[in-house]
Coordinates of all heavy atoms in Angstrom, one line a residue:
L196 N -35.0 7.5 -9.5 CA -35.2 6.3 -10.2 C -36.2 6.4 -11.3 O -36.4 5.5 -12.2 CB -35.6 5.1 -9.3 CG -34.5 4.6 -8.4 CD1 -35.1 3.7 -7.3 CD2 -33.5 3.8 -9.2
G197 N -36.9 7.5 -11.4 CA -37.9 7.8 -12.4 C -39.1 6.8 -12.2 O -39.5 6.5 -11.1
A198 N -39.5 6.2 -13.3 CA -40.7 5.3 -13.3 C -40.3 4.0 -12.5 O -41.2 3.4 -11.8 CB -41.0 4.9 -14.7
M199 N -39.1 3.7 -12.4 CA -38.7 2.5 -11.6 C -38.9 2.7 -10.1 O -39.0 1.7 -9.4 CB -37.2 2.2 -11.8 CG -36.8 1.6 -13.2 SD -35.1 1.1 -13.2 CE -34.2 2.5 -12.8
G200 N -39.0 3.9 -9.7 CA -39.1 4.2 -8.3 C -40.4 3.6 -7.7 O -40.5 3.4 -6.5
E201 N -41.4 3.3 -8.5 CA -42.6 2.8 -8.0 C -42.5 1.3 -7.6 O -43.2 0.8 -6.7 CB -43.7 2.8 -9.2 CG -44.3 4.1 -9.3 CD -45.2 4.5 -8.2 OE1 -46.0 3.7 -7.7 OE2 -45.1 5.7 -7.7
V202 N -41.5 0.6 -8.2 CA -41.4 -0.8 -8.0 C -40.1 -1.3 -7.3 O -40.0 -2.4 -6.7 CB -41.5 -1.6 -9.3 CG1 -42.9 -1.5 -9.9 CG2 -40.5 -1.2 -10.3
V203 N -39.1 -0.4 -7.3 CA -37.8 -0.9 -6.8 C -37.8 -0.7 -5.3 O -38.1 0.4 -4.8 CB -36.6 0.0 -7.4 CG1 -35.3 -0.2 -6.7 CG2 -36.5 -0.4 -8.9
P204 N -37.4 -1.7 -4.5 CA -37.3 -1.6 -3.0 C -36.2 -0.6 -2.7 O -35.1 -0.7 -3.3 CB -37.1 -3.0 -2.5 CG -37.4 -3.9 -3.7 CD -37.1 -3.1 -4.9
V205 N -36.4 0.2 -1.7 CA -35.4 1.1 -1.2 C -35.2 0.8 0.3 O -36.1 1.0 1.1 CB -35.7 2.6 -1.4 CG1 -34.5 3.5 -1.0 CG2 -36.0 2.9 -2.9
L206 N -34.0 0.3 0.6 CA -33.6 0.0 2.0 C -33.0 1.1 2.7 O -32.6 2.1 2.1 CB -32.7 -1.2 2.0 CG -33.0 -2.4 1.1 CD1 -31.9 -3.5 1.3 CD2 -34.4 -3.0 1.3
Y207 N -32.8 0.9 4.0 CA -31.9 1.8 4.8 C -30.8 0.9 5.5 O -31.1 -0.2 5.9 CB -32.7 2.5 5.9 CG -31.7 3.2 6.9 CD1 -31.1 4.4 6.5 CD2 -31.3 2.6 8.1 CE1 -30.1 4.9 7.3 CE2 -30.3 3.1 8.8 CZ -29.7 4.3 8.4 OH -28.7 4.8 9.2
G208 N -29.6 1.5 5.5 CA -28.5 0.8 6.2 C -27.6 1.8 6.9 O -27.4 2.9 6.4
G209 N -27.0 1.4 8.0 CA -26.1 2.2 8.8 C -26.5 2.2 10.3 O -27.5 2.8 10.7
S210 N -25.8 1.3 11.1 CA -26.0 1.2 12.5 C -27.4 0.7 12.8 O -28.0 1.1 13.9 CB -25.7 2.5 13.2 OG -24.3 2.8 13.2
V211 N -28.0 -0.1 12.0 CA -29.3 -0.7 12.3 C -29.1 -1.7 13.4 O -28.1 -2.5 13.4 CB -30.0 -1.3 11.1 CG1 -31.3 -2.0 11.5 CG2 -30.3 -0.3 10.0
A212 N -29.9 -1.6 14.5 CA -29.7 -2.5 15.7 C -31.1 -2.9 16.2 O -32.1 -2.2 15.8 CB -28.9 -1.8 16.7
P213 N -31.2 -3.9 17.1 CA -32.5 -4.3 17.6 C -33.2 -3.1 18.2 O -34.4 -3.0 18.1 CB -32.2 -5.4 18.6 CG -30.9 -5.9 18.2 CD -30.1 -4.8 17.5
N214 N -32.5 -2.2 18.8 CA -33.2 -1.1 19.5 C -33.6 0.1 18.7 O -34.3 1.0 19.1 CB -32.3 -0.6 20.7 CG -31.0 0.1 20.2 OD1 -30.8 0.0 19.0 ND2 -30.3 0.6 21.1
N215 N -33.2 0.1 17.4 CA -33.7 1.2 16.5 C -34.4 0.7 15.3 O -34.9 1.5 14.5 CB -32.6 2.2 16.2 CG -31.5 1.5 15.4 OD1 -31.7 0.5 14.7 ND2 -30.3 2.0 15.4
A216 N -34.4 -0.6 15.1 CA -35.0 -1.2 13.8 C -36.5 -1.0 13.7 O -37.0 -0.9 12.6 CB -34.6 -2.6 13.7
G217 N -37.2 -1.0 14.9 CA -38.7 -0.9 14.8 C -39.2 0.3 14.0 O -39.8 0.1 13.0
P218 N -38.9 1.5 14.5 CA -39.4 2.7 13.8 C -38.9 2.8 12.4 O -39.6 3.2 11.5 CB -38.8 3.8 14.6 CG -38.4 3.3 15.9 CD -38.2 1.8 15.7
I219 N -37.7 2.3 12.1 CA -37.1 2.4 10.7 C -38.0 1.5 9.8 O -38.4 1.9 8.7 CB -35.6 2.0 10.7 CG1 -34.8 3.0 11.5 CG2 -35.1 1.8 9.2 CD1 -33.3 2.6 11.6
L220 N -38.2 0.2 10.3 CA -38.9 -0.7 9.4 C -40.4 -0.4 9.4 O -41.1 -0.8 8.5 CB -38.7 -2.1 9.9 CG -37.4 -2.7 9.5 CD1 -37.0 -3.9 10.3 CD2 -37.4 -3.1 8.0
E221 N -40.9 0.4 10.3 CA -42.3 0.8 10.3 C -42.6 1.9 9.2 O -43.7 2.2 8.8 CB -42.8 1.3 11.6 CG -43.3 0.2 12.5 CD -43.3 0.6 14.0 OE1 -43.5 1.8 14.3 OE2 -43.1 -0.3 14.8
E222 N -41.5 2.6 8.9 CA -41.6 3.7 8.0 C -42.0 3.2 6.6 O -41.3 2.4 6.0 CB -40.3 4.5 7.9 CG -40.1 5.5 6.8 CD -41.2 6.5 6.6 OE1 -41.7 7.1 7.6 OE2 -41.7 6.6 5.5
P223 N -43.1 3.7 6.0 CA -43.5 3.1 4.7 C -42.6 3.3 3.6 O -42.5 2.6 2.6 CB -44.9 3.9 4.4 CG -45.3 4.4 5.7 CD -44.1 4.6 6.6
E224 N -41.7 4.4 3.7 CA -40.7 4.6 2.6 C -39.5 3.7 2.7 O -38.7 3.7 1.8 CB -40.2 6.1 2.7 CG -41.2 7.1 2.1 CD -41.4 7.0 0.6 OE1 -40.5 6.4 -0.1 OE2 -42.5 7.3 0.1
V225 N -39.5 2.9 3.7 CA -38.3 2.0 3.9 C -38.8 0.5 3.7 O -39.7 0.0 4.3 CB -37.7 2.1 5.3 CG1 -36.6 1.1 5.6 CG2 -37.2 3.5 5.6
D226 N -38.2 -0.1 2.6 CA -38.6 -1.4 2.3 C -37.8 -2.5 2.9 O -37.9 -3.7 2.6 CB -38.5 -1.6 0.7 CG -39.5 -0.7 0.0 OD1 -40.7 -0.6 0.4 OD2 -39.1 0.1 -0.9
G227 N -36.9 -2.1 3.8 CA -36.1 -3.1 4.5 C -34.8 -2.5 5.0 O -34.6 -1.3 4.9
V228 N -33.9 -3.3 5.5 CA -32.7 -2.8 6.1 C -31.5 -3.7 5.6 O -31.6 -4.9 5.4 CB -32.7 -2.8 7.6 CG1 -33.6 -1.6 8.1 CG2 -33.2 -4.1 8.2
L229 N -30.3 -3.0 5.6 CA -29.0 -3.6 5.3 C -28.2 -3.5 6.6 O -28.0 -2.4 7.1 CB -28.3 -2.9 4.2 CG -27.0 -3.3 3.6 CD1 -26.9 -4.8 3.4 CD2 -26.7 -2.6 2.3
V230 N -27.9 -4.7 7.2 CA -27.4 -4.7 8.5 C -25.9 -5.2 8.5 O -25.7 -6.3 8.0 CB -28.2 -5.6 9.4 CG1 -27.8 -5.5 10.9 CG2 -29.7 -5.3 9.3

Side-chain angles (χ1 to χ4, degrees):
L196 287 168
M199 289 189 300
E201 281 292 313
V202 292
V203 169
V205 183
L206 315 182
Y207 168 78
S210 292
V211 175
N214 64 356
N215 62 24
I219 294 174
L220 282 162
E221 273 161 30
E222 165 53 46
E224 281 295 332
V225 175
D226 296 311
V228 285
L229 179 47
V230 187

